[in-house]
């Protein structure tokens, strides 16, 4: 997990691609929806008061963390914090996916119940703190072994920890995000960039050389040292003087260094392909200019990718966060999230419609028509 986080932090392509996903999703209008007004009221109040009972996490902060972790790790964890009596969920807390692992048995397999669901998790903090006492180990469910390798740990039952998964394969225990399919390309690209920067530092700049003396003037060691000192100082002194039998020349850098950029472009393209994002969005580079028709087409499919991520994350939240809250509150309905992601095409058409409304006077004539237009275009609070 740590290598995926480092890739997100240190690789600009991964960082920008995932952030564009999250920015595109969070910029859309989103709200809790339930048919039952009692359920709607409870969850609206829960969202407004999130962070007041323990953490300082706001509702939008929580969703942002969900989408970022889903993109980086393929999963996101949230602790469900109950009240003292344990009969109601009063707060949520984001948990770093890097330090979460499944509770496992003596054979190092994920411990599951009769429905093949995992029993619980360990939160492992490898900071050199002493391992949890044997008294805490005795509270583990039968068959579960405490984690090895040192560090402190805490056992968390499945009911207390929500896991939202992005893409799953196989048994579904280890989902994948947007980084993993192109992780090796990212590593190779960073290694090449490091090698390329070293090569440019060594061979990418002109090198001055001095030819001293002739058949009648043999330079001594001190004269050679003095000439070298003058050459080192030539950046600040625009000119130097020397006897006529000494000559200066410049060794030009090798043109082969420019060929090293081609593999970097290749690796970057592989990362962008894995993320499923238009290249101009991922790199934000003027050199990646695209026609409006092409960009509009790619923007449409990128919107589909954003909605796919929203649907997967919201489905996980309904199952692992909203449903447990409803169970404790006695609600029969589990609410969902309405999420409206706006594309470039939608914004352009909306702008044209609003301009037409203004020119026709529709926004200033009939108050009822004015309100209807504002409501349909999302202009009312």
């Amino acid at each position: 997990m740590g290598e995926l986080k480092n890739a997100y932090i240190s690789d600009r392509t991964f960082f920008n691609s995932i952030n564009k996903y999250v920015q595109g999703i969070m910029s859309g209008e989103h709200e809790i929806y339930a048919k039952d007004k009692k359920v709607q009221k409870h969850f609206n109040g829960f969202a407004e008061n999130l962070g007041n009972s323990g953490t300082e996490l706001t509702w939008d902060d929580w969703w942002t963390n969900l989408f970022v972790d889903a993109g980086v790790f393929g999963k996101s964890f949230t602790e469900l914090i109950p009240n003292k009596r344990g009969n109601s969920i009063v707060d949520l807390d984001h948990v770093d996916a890097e330090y979460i692992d499944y509770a496992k048995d003596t054979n190092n397999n994920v411990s599951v119940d009769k429905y093949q669901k995992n029993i619980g998790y360990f939160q492992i903090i490898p900071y050199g703190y002493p391992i949890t006492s044997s008294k805490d180990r005795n509270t583990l469910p039968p068959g579960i072994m405490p984690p090895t390798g040192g560090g402190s740990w805490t056992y968390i039952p499945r009911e207390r920890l929500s896991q939202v998964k992005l893409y799953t394969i196989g048994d579904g225990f280890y989902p994948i995000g947007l980084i993993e399919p192109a992780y090796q390309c990212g590593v190779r690209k960073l290694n090449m960039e490091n090698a390329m920067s070293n090569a440019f530092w060594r061979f990418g700049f002109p090198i001055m050389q001095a030819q001293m003396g002739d058949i009648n003037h043999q330079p001594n060691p001190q004269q050679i040292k003095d000439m070298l000192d003058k050459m080192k100082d030539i950046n600040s002194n625009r000119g130097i003087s020397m006897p006529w039998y000494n000559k200066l020349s410049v060794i030009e850098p090798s043109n082969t260094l420019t060929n090293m950029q081609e593999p970097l472009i290749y690796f970057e393209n592989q990362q962008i392909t894995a993320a499923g994002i238009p290249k101009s969005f991922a790199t934000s580079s003027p050199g990646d200019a695209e026609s409006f028709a092409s960009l509009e087409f790619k923007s449409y499919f990128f919107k589909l990718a954003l909605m796919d991520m929203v649907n997967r994350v919201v489905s996980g939240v309904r199952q692992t966060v909203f449903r447990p809250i409803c169970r404790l509150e006695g609600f029969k309905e589990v609410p969902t999230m309405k999420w409206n992601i706006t594309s470039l095409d939608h914004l352009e058409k909306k702008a044209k419609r609003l301009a037409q409304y203004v020119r026709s006077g529709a926004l200033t004539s009939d108050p009822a028509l004015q309100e209807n237009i504002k409501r349909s275009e999302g202009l009312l609070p």
Side-chain angles (χ1 to χ4, degrees):
M1 289 296 172
E3 63 271 13
L4 296 177
K5 179 188 284 187
N6 289 336
Y8 169 70
I9 294 172
S10 60
D11 191 302
R12 62 190 177 277
T13 306
F14 285 140
F15 183 81
N16 204 30
S17 296
I18 291 176
N19 286 352
K20 286 295 180 289
Y21 264 88
V22 177
Q23 291 162 5
I25 290 171
M26 294 305 298
S27 65
E29 297 177 358
H30 49 281
E31 61 179 355
I32 303 170
Y33 173 75
K35 294 180 181 179
D36 189 326
K37 292 183 179 180
K38 186 177 179 182
V39 176
Q40 180 81 49
K41 181 179 179 181
H42 177 85
F43 275 88
N44 283 342
F46 183 85
E48 281 185 30
N49 294 313
L50 190 67
N52 292 339
S53 300
T55 67
E56 296 181 354
L57 199 66
T58 67
W59 183 247
D60 276 357
D61 287 341
W62 176 60
W63 280 103
T64 299
N65 289 334
L66 285 177
F67 289 115
V68 170
D69 278 10
V72 175
F73 303 108
K75 55 190 174 183
S76 181
F77 292 96
T78 300
E79 183 181 1
L80 310 181
I81 303 175
N83 58 9
K84 292 182 179 180
R85 290 182 293 176
N87 62 354
S88 179
I89 303 297
V90 295
D91 209 350
L92 303 175
D93 189 18
H94 172 255
V95 180
D96 194 336
E98 181 181 357
Y99 302 124
I100 297 293
D101 195 10
Y102 290 109
K104 298 178 180 179
D105 59 23
T106 54
N107 296 320
N108 203 35
N109 296 319
V110 177
S111 294
V112 296
D113 59 18
K114 62 180 180 180
Y115 301 108
Q116 297 303 302
K117 293 183 178 180
N118 69 292
I119 292 177
Y121 305 89
F122 282 115
Q123 184 178 20
I124 305 167
I125 311 297
Y127 291 154
Y129 296 124
I131 198 162
T132 308
S133 68
S134 59
K135 178 181 178 181
D136 293 324
R137 297 186 196 180
N138 293 334
T139 63
L140 295 177
I144 293 182
M145 296 299 294
T148 58
S152 61
W153 54 264
T154 301
Y155 173 74
I156 306 175
R158 186 183 72 238
E159 295 77 16
R160 284 286 306 275
L161 195 65
S162 157
Q163 179 180 192
V164 174
K165 303 174 184 178
L166 190 56
Y167 300 111
T168 57
I169 55 175
D171 57 20
F173 284 126
Y174 295 97
I176 59 175
L178 302 178
I179 290 180
E180 207 160 351
Y183 173 73
Q184 291 300 329
C185 285
V187 171
R188 295 183 185 113
K189 187 189 75 172
L190 291 178
N191 288 338
M192 280 211 65
E193 286 181 335
N194 185 48
M196 189 174 178
S197 63
N198 290 333
F200 268 116
W201 180 253
R202 293 167 58 191
F203 307 114
F205 303 96
I207 300 174
M208 295 193 65
Q209 66 174 356
Q211 183 178 353
M212 299 181 63
D214 56 20
I215 191 171
N216 298 317
H217 303 86
Q218 297 295 325
N220 59 45
Q222 185 60 45
Q223 290 174 321
I224 295 175
K225 182 178 180 304
D226 292 342
M227 175 58 73
L228 182 60
D229 291 339
K230 287 183 178 181
M231 291 170 62
K232 289 180 180 179
D233 198 40
I234 201 170
N235 287 333
S236 57
N237 295 325
R238 294 184 178 274
I240 61 174
S241 62
M242 65 189 74
W244 63 269
Y245 46 78
N246 291 340
K247 298 179 181 179
L248 285 180
S249 60
V250 175
I251 302 176
E252 294 295 337
S254 172
N255 292 329
T256 58
L257 290 176
T258 57
N259 297 331
M260 297 179 67
Q261 297 182 25
E262 295 180 7
L264 293 179
I265 296 173
Y266 167 78
F267 289 134
E268 188 173 76
N269 287 338
Q270 298 308 302
Q271 293 176 280
I272 295 169
T273 299
I277 184 173
K279 185 174 183 180
S280 55
F281 290 7
T283 61
S284 301
S285 172
D288 298 319
E290 301 170 86
S291 68
F292 182 79
S294 173
L295 185 59
E296 186 178 16
F297 178 76
K298 293 176 182 178
S299 174
Y300 170 75
F301 279 96
F302 181 51
K303 180 182 177 181
L304 296 183
L306 296 181
M307 285 307 306
D308 179 62
M309 179 180 277
V310 167
N311 291 336
R312 290 172 183 273
V313 171
V314 168
S315 176
V317 167
R318 290 190 72 229
Q319 186 66 26
T320 62
V321 179
F322 290 178
R323 189 176 296 277
I325 293 176
C326 291
R327 188 183 303 118
L328 290 175
E329 298 296 332
F331 298 146
K332 293 182 179 180
E333 181 187 2
V334 178
T336 187
M337 293 289 297
K338 282 188 174 182
W339 219 293
N340 180 33
I341 294 179
T342 305
S343 65
L344 293 176
D345 175 63
H346 175 79
L347 290 175
E348 183 190 25
K349 290 179 179 178
K350 182 175 180 178
K352 289 180 178 178
R353 288 197 305 271
L354 292 175
Q356 184 63 35
Y357 294 147
V358 172
R359 283 194 296 267
S360 66
L363 286 177
T364 58
S365 55
D366 184 7
L369 177 61
Q370 178 186 129
E371 183 175 351
N372 186 45
I373 291 174
K374 288 182 177 180
R375 190 177 303 280
S376 64
E377 297 293 351
L379 300 178
L380 290 176

